[in-house]
Amino acid sequence: CDWSSDVCSSDLIGNMFRIADLDGMAIGLKVTWFSALYTSVKFDDTTKLGVAQASVLKIGPYFTYEFTDGMAFDVYYQLTPTFAVEVWEGNSYGLGTTHSGGVGYRFNVLSVGLEYNFGSIKDMDFIGETIPAGDEDWYKYRMTHLRLFVGIKI
């Protein structure tokens, strides 16, 4: 079926813990303590539903290249425990692990970047049930999306 998604809104809180300085470069651990987003999806121009997604403790490595004292470029990957709710005629819930990879540019306290989230989670309504061979994709939520972000270091 044809579907389209509206622009979504998301919020997150996290830290970057530097492990090693490498003469203008650094490696470390990027931790997102909590992130949440909401979007609406339209199927076949008739059915509209909402999707809320939340993640707790996204974690993974990052690499930083510092141009100057207040300016840097970051590349990172995070493993993302994910919970989602599909709000429609009856709510459905999904749970699983997805992945996030991104790039960012930091200038003093501001940052901008692009993050690609990919993977799928299981529909919790069907846990423990036998799923017919070949129909596995019908019992998953694809959580793939691209996120443009603007952040502030506090």
Side-chain angles (χ1 to χ4, degrees):
C1 68
D2 295 327
W3 65 275
S4 63
S5 175
D6 293 337
V7 171
C8 70
S9 141
S10 71
D11 296 300
L12 63 86
I13 298 171
N15 292 88
M16 293 172 70
F17 298 101
R18 188 172 288 208
I19 294 172
D21 282 316
L22 308 168
D23 192 32
M25 297 176 278
I27 56 172
L29 191 63
K30 181 176 173 71
V31 178
T32 303
W33 304 109
F34 178 78
S35 69
L37 70 83
Y38 179 83
T39 190
S40 58
V41 180
K42 188 184 286 188
F43 293 93
D44 300 324
D45 292 329
T46 57
T47 306
K48 191 168 187 177
L49 59 92
V51 178
Q53 175 185 344
S55 299
V56 177
L57 196 61
K58 292 169 59 171
I59 192 165
Y62 79 86
F63 172 79
T64 294
Y65 177 77
E66 295 176 339
F67 299 109
T68 65
D69 228 4
M71 198 171 11
F73 176 75
D74 302 315
V75 177
Y76 64 90
Y77 164 82
Q78 289 182 296
L79 192 60
T80 309
T82 302
F83 175 75
V85 178
E86 179 184 277
V87 182
W88 191 33
E89 293 171 355
N91 293 347
S92 291
Y93 304 92
L95 184 64
T97 303
T98 59
H99 309 270
S100 301
V103 295
Y105 172 76
R106 288 183 286 130
F107 182 71
N108 292 326
V109 297
L110 298 175
S111 64
V112 294
L114 191 62
E115 180 178 272
Y116 182 66
N117 296 276
F118 55 98
S120 60
I121 60 175
K122 293 182 181 178
D123 188 333
M124 297 304 289
D125 292 340
F126 297 98
I127 294 296
E129 293 188 24
T130 303
I131 297 172
D135 287 345
E136 293 86 0
D137 283 347
W138 286 104
Y139 300 93
K140 294 179 184 177
Y141 294 117
R142 298 232 179 265
M143 303 309 293
T144 303
H145 61 277
L146 195 59
R147 183 174 73 93
L148 175 65
F149 65 86
V150 176
I152 300 172
K153 181 179 178 180
I154 298 175

